[in-house]
Amino acid sequence: MQTGWLGHQRGVVQSTFRNLRLQNRLPISTTIPSAVVSSRSIVTPIQCLKRETWSSLPLRQRSTSSYLDHQSTTTTLLFAPTRKQQQHSVGHFHTHSCLQRKGDLIGRQQVINVNVARTMATVAAPSHVDLVLNVDNINPNVKAMEYAVRGPLVIRAGEIEKELAMGVKKPFTEVIKANIGDAQAMGQKPITFIRQVLSLVAYPDLLNSKEFPEDAKSRARAILESSRGSAGCYSDSAGLELVRNHVAKYIERRDGFPADPSNIILCAGASEGIRSTLKMLSTISGPRTGIMIPIPQYPLYSASIVEYNMEQAGYYLDEDNDWGLDVAELERAVKEARKRCNVRGIVVINPGNPTGQVLTRDNIVEVIKFAHREKLFIFADEVYQDNVYADNREFHSFKKVTKEMGDPYDKLELASFLSCSKGYMGECGLRGGYAEIVNMDPDVKALYLKSISAKLCPTVLGQAVMDCVVNPPQPGEPSYELFSKEKAAVLKSLSERASTIAKAFNSIPGIKCNTVQGAMYAFPEVKIPEKAIAKAKSLGQAPDVFFAFQLLEQTGMCCVPGSGFGQRPGTYHFRTTILPQPEKLQIMLDKFRSFQESFLKEYQ
Ligand SMILES: Cc1ncc(COP(=O)(O)O)c(C=O)c1O
């Protein structure tokens, strides 16, 4: 054990780094994890290293991590915050009082992980410069927002991967990243037609090649023509006119009602469209805007709501009723929220993330009537519209249902989103998506367009992917057969995995899982024994966080704790994707079963 001591008692912190033998390969900006201290302070951990050792390192390696690399696997650092010490510091360390304030310290090891991520940008700031930004004076909303899908657990998973690569022995040989809906990262192959069109758009010389089918070439030619000959040109902020026209036709085919291309905004993934639209509802004066979001929800919403200075008005989904939406609960939630904010919008995720539910048409009708009664802007997050697996369910778009319901419901303000990251495409990294916004006041729409113009435009390659999604090969075209075969194979396999996963979880003691009707996730409930809850408490962790960390450390399986999405108090869940390929999924489920058996043995 290597110990350094600053000799200053006040605010001294001890942090234990176990198995943190990683770096040298981490970016230069990686610095020592700041410790959680009892006082608000800037600490100077460099002081606790042997000065000669530190200064003899090349700048690139001046991080505690590289230092630790030369030390034993367990190192104790003692930090003390004094002004004098700061003056000698190579790097500034800010403690994360936000974590303390919120009381969500999640155990020594995990806090360190959080801080590893949060101090990535704190290297070698010259100590004589008074920096404009520190964690106490930045936008507090940025500090407060949380996004569990890429939170501390995932950071730890990344560290474990590096440890494995360095030969550290573990009870497993790989990390299974079941935390994020990234199909291609889990081995799904891209759809050939999409990649052909993309290649042609990116490198038009290939249009002369005989390797590419004529329909891929004609799509690419049209996209290039619409984007002034090159994917390297900016497009209009709302996207290429050609693609917006194709999106409108796609919606018309899907819903049987007209769609206006001027209501279509192409965006860099659905996230960007959701955030741009959500932002429109934020106000500066008067009571804060409240947005109704499902609990559990996809944390893009909770994070963005905080970032835009709005209030979350959560309504619980009904776990006992396949995560359906209960109007009485909506009414309870809006009434409760109106005591503290001005509720102006409702988000519905259908098919659901993290819950995997597909709403019935009747349920959608009820939500629309509720939104009308309460004068709410509807956010219909429909990014999983192609991912419906349950025989007794089908996808109904909110827009179609409002049209079928007629006046006054078809006058409601509504934004609906689709993405190329989900469905059968899984093109998460290409960042394509669209928002269809109907019934927006024309003056507001003009301001909306102005607001997105500051971002210039989504990538033209992302728009090209969306074009393939909404304008796929038709019967008789050369790519039709392969495209249909590949699309069907992905969706069939996802459907099989959805049913395998729910069955497997339901056969494991202490786990209860609803049918995965759609989307890409299961959100099982886990009964955590009292003894484990007490253990979690002793570590300063939420019980589901403790469970998920134990699962990760013992099996390499990376899932997200239910608290990252929200859950009824006293219940515990975790979210796993259904995306590992079938063979890996089976391995994952077997590992989970034996983990749960030993967890119960230890804590029951
Ligand atoms: C419900 C939901 N909406 C929106 C998104 C955003 O996806 P993207 O920005 O990749 O289109 C996701 C991603 O997982 C999601 O699950």
Side-chain angles (χ1 to χ4, degrees), residues 486-558:
E486 289 178 343
K487 175 178 169 178
V490 171
L491 293 175
K492 177 163 176 279
S493 173
L494 283 172
S495 171
E496 285 163 0
R497 281 177 267 166
S499 105
T500 303
I501 215 165
K503 267 192 213 131
F505 279 133
N506 282 326
S507 70
I508 297 173
I511 307 290
K512 198 177 87 190
C513 184
N514 276 332
T515 310
V516 179
Q517 299 172 335
M520 297 179 167
Y521 316 92
F523 196 66
E525 182 182 6
V526 52
K527 294 271 179 244
I528 301 185
E530 284 305 322
K531 216 167 125 194
I533 293 177
K535 173 80 180 174
K537 210 169 165 192
S538 74
L539 294 170
Q541 292 182 324
D544 59 339
V545 173
F546 172 70
F547 180 85
F549 267 106
Q550 292 297 307
L551 180 65
L552 174 65
E553 296 287 351
Q554 290 177 33
T555 68
M557 191 177 157
C558 180

Side-chain angles (χ1 to χ4, degrees), residues 147 181 268-272 274 298 300-301 349 353 381 383-384 419-422 428 431-432 521:
Y147 186 72
S271 307
E272 189 185 78
I274 293 166
Y298 172 56
L300 166 73
Y301 291 99
I349 307 173
N353 174 10
D381 185 331
V383 298
Y384 297 101
S419 163
C420 70
S421 306
K422 311 299 172 188
C428 303
R431 310 309 296 136
Y521 316 92

Side-chain angles (χ1 to χ4, degrees), residues 344-365:
R344 303 171 76 201
I346 180 168
V347 173
V348 181
I349 307 173
N350 180 46
N353 174 10
T355 44
Q357 94 284 6
V358 180
L359 298 181
T360 61
R361 189 181 176 286
D362 287 350
N363 214 175
I364 294 173
V365 167

Side-chain angles (χ1 to χ4, degrees), residues 390-406:
D391 291 338
N392 58 347
R393 293 290 152 107
E394 62 178 302
F395 170 74
H396 300 276
S397 80
F398 266 73
K399 158 120 179 277
K400 182 191 78 171
V401 179
T402 57
K403 290 280 174 201
E404 287 166 351
M405 289 167 76

Side-chain angles (χ1 to χ4, degrees), residues 6 8 10 42-47 51 80-92 127-128:
L6 292 179
H8 214 278
R10 193 172 58 82
I42 296 173
V43 295
T44 56
I46 282 84
Q47 295 286 320
R51 192 173 291 279
T82 68
R83 192 74 210 167
K84 188 153 167 275
Q85 283 149 3
Q86 279 175 41
Q87 283 158 15
H88 297 291
S89 81
V90 177
H92 277 185
S127 57
H128 57 276

